[in-house]
Amino acid sequence: MTLSVLDQSPLLPNQTPSDALQQTTELAQWAEKLGYARFWVSEHHSTKSLAGSAPEILAAHLAAHTNHIRIGTGGVLLPHYSEYKIAEVFRVLESLYPGRIDLGIGRAPGGMPGVNYALNRGKYPNVQDYPKQVQELIYYLHGEKHPTYQIQATPLGENVPSIWMLGSSGTSAMMAAELGTSYTYAQFINGESGATSMKQYYESFQPSIHQNEPRGSVAIFVICGETEEEAEYLASSLDLALLRVENGQFHDYFPSPEEARQYSYSPFEKKRVQYNRQRMIVGNPEQVKEKIEKLARAYEVGEVIVNTIAVPFEKRMKSYELLARVFNLQ
């Protein structure tokens, strides 16, 4: 079993965005020490509780502050950008850190509706062009000349960043299969139909200039405590945070477990919390290990990407440590 990390640079109570980004750096170094395979950072815009808005810049910083763990994006929201520019950014990263860079891409908006227009100079991005963008991105990364513009993405080099298409639906799975990229299903976003989407990806995969065989992974929220009781206590913070987002309540930080325990849940909200647990794995080390292995079997993948948000930061670090220990990552 390969375990990796996805970090969204969450703001915890009484902390600043600078604190959140510094914690992401510390966490990347910790993940490398513990034996995790890769460390990805996300792209979110106009979201006060998440500090990661420029994953390509943060990835460069993290690669410079680690030694061998793979660093990447989970992911760059390609419809907002020029595929040529993204190819050059990641060709530079690959040249600086050969064999260590992952380019995860997605087509989600990444924030409030106005974000779409702000990133595209008052226009809504044409997501219908996304498959074409991905195809051209692949060609640029591999040093191919554009048939019309007769240009290449530089710097050229022998190594090519690993491309992962990120998604939470069967549509994204089929795109990844048809374009011949790796695929990560975001169960921490959508707790339903993931295994079916991954099966579609495997069955429909078509070899490309980038890779000959399918490669899949699944990303999920994980809270691992030394006891089941501690894990449930820590998870109450994420339970409330997810519920608030669903209710259109966007706070400046993730709540503490103490705040979450004081919240008065309506019967409907209690059902929503239980429903959202499909997006999470919670428990002591042995319970979490069993659930992760079951998840990997259901998806037929050898890699699970863990996203842990816990308050305080030390408990987030400890959760990753307990997980690494029970899986014997080192």
Side-chain angles (χ1 to χ4, degrees):
M1 173 66 65
T2 298
L3 293 183
S4 297
V5 177
L6 169 65
D7 192 63
Q8 297 174 290
S9 302
L11 270 70
L12 306 185
N14 302 314
Q15 295 185 339
T16 67
S18 179
D19 294 329
L21 294 173
Q22 180 57 41
Q23 288 171 353
T24 292
T25 305
E26 293 179 29
L27 190 57
Q29 294 168 331
W30 187 231
E32 179 175 71
K33 183 177 180 180
L34 292 173
Y36 287 86
R38 65 183 92 240
F39 191 97
W40 287 357
V41 289
S42 59
E43 178 175 342
H44 294 273
H45 300 284
S46 193
T47 305
K48 292 181 180 180
S49 62
L50 299 172
S53 57
E56 66 280 14
I57 294 176
L58 188 51
H61 172 79
L62 296 177
H65 286 79
T66 52
N67 297 308
H68 56 79
I69 190 171
R70 293 192 68 92
I71 299 293
T73 55
V76 168
L77 305 180
L78 192 58
H80 294 311
Y81 310 114
S82 156
E83 55 272 24
Y84 180 68
K85 179 61 176 177
I86 296 301
E88 293 209 315
V89 167
F90 279 82
R91 285 231 53 91
V92 168
L93 285 171
E94 184 64 37
S95 297
L96 289 170
Y97 308 101
R100 293 185 57 202
I101 301 300
D102 294 329
L103 170 52
I105 54 175
R107 60 174 183 159
M112 301 296 289
V115 165
N116 293 294
Y117 298 98
L119 285 173
N120 293 277
R121 293 177 294 177
K123 302 176 183 178
Y124 195 88
N126 185 1
V127 295
Q128 302 302 319
D129 289 339
Y130 181 61
K132 180 182 177 182
Q133 276 193 289
V134 176
Q135 188 67 75
E136 293 197 355
L137 176 65
I138 292 172
Y139 287 144
Y140 280 136
L141 287 171
H142 282 266
E144 299 287 326
K145 282 190 176 181
H146 192 283
T148 302
Y149 309 133
Q150 289 298 299
I151 57 173
Q152 293 173 289
T154 55
L156 300 174
E158 295 181 0
N159 294 317
V160 177
S162 178
I163 303 175
W164 291 79
M165 188 173 289
L166 317 178
S168 56
S169 69
T171 301
S172 57
M174 290 303 296
M175 274 190 207
E178 293 170 3
L179 294 169
T181 72
S182 299
Y183 179 64
T184 297
Y185 185 87
Q187 181 150 332
F188 72 98
I189 294 176
N190 182 6
E192 298 182 339
S193 305
T196 300
S197 296
M198 188 63 69
K199 183 178 181 181
Q200 292 175 333
Y201 165 71
Y202 284 134
E203 292 178 346
S204 304
F205 182 84
Q206 300 176 21
S208 68
I209 187 176
H210 190 67
Q211 63 190 66
N212 295 321
E213 297 179 349
R215 181 173 52 171
S217 65
V218 54
I220 189 166
F221 286 123
V222 175
I223 305 293
C224 187
E226 297 195 60
T227 65
E228 182 179 4
E229 292 73 20
E230 181 188 40
E232 287 291 338
Y233 177 71
L234 294 172
S236 65
S237 170
L238 187 55
D239 287 335
L240 179 57
L242 296 177
L243 181 65
R244 282 175 168 173
V245 172
E246 290 183 345
N247 290 340
Q249 301 169 357
F250 300 100
H251 288 240
D252 295 351
Y253 60 88
F254 280 76
S256 67
E258 293 81 6
E259 182 180 351
R261 288 299 175 93
Q262 292 173 6
Y263 184 85
S264 181
Y265 292 88
S266 69
F268 174 76
E269 288 176 328
K270 289 180 180 179
K271 290 183 179 180
R272 289 305 306 175
V273 167
Q274 289 304 311
Y275 177 79
N276 282 332
R277 281 298 181 98
Q278 295 180 93
R279 301 157 61 183
M280 303 164 61
I281 289 177
V282 179
N284 63 40
E286 291 72 24
Q287 291 171 325
V288 168
K289 183 175 188 289
E290 180 181 353
K291 293 175 183 178
I292 286 179
E293 290 176 338
K294 182 179 179 180
L295 181 73
R297 288 194 298 270
Y299 275 82
E300 299 183 25
V301 297
E303 180 176 5
V304 174
I305 302 176
V306 175
N307 182 357
T308 297
I309 299 177
V311 181
F313 177 61
E314 291 74 21
K315 291 298 183 180
R316 190 153 135 236
M317 299 272 278
K318 188 64 176 181
S319 180
Y320 282 112
E321 179 185 352
L322 293 171
L323 195 57
R325 189 185 304 163
V326 76
F327 274 97
N328 298 312
L329 294 186
Q330 293 177 311

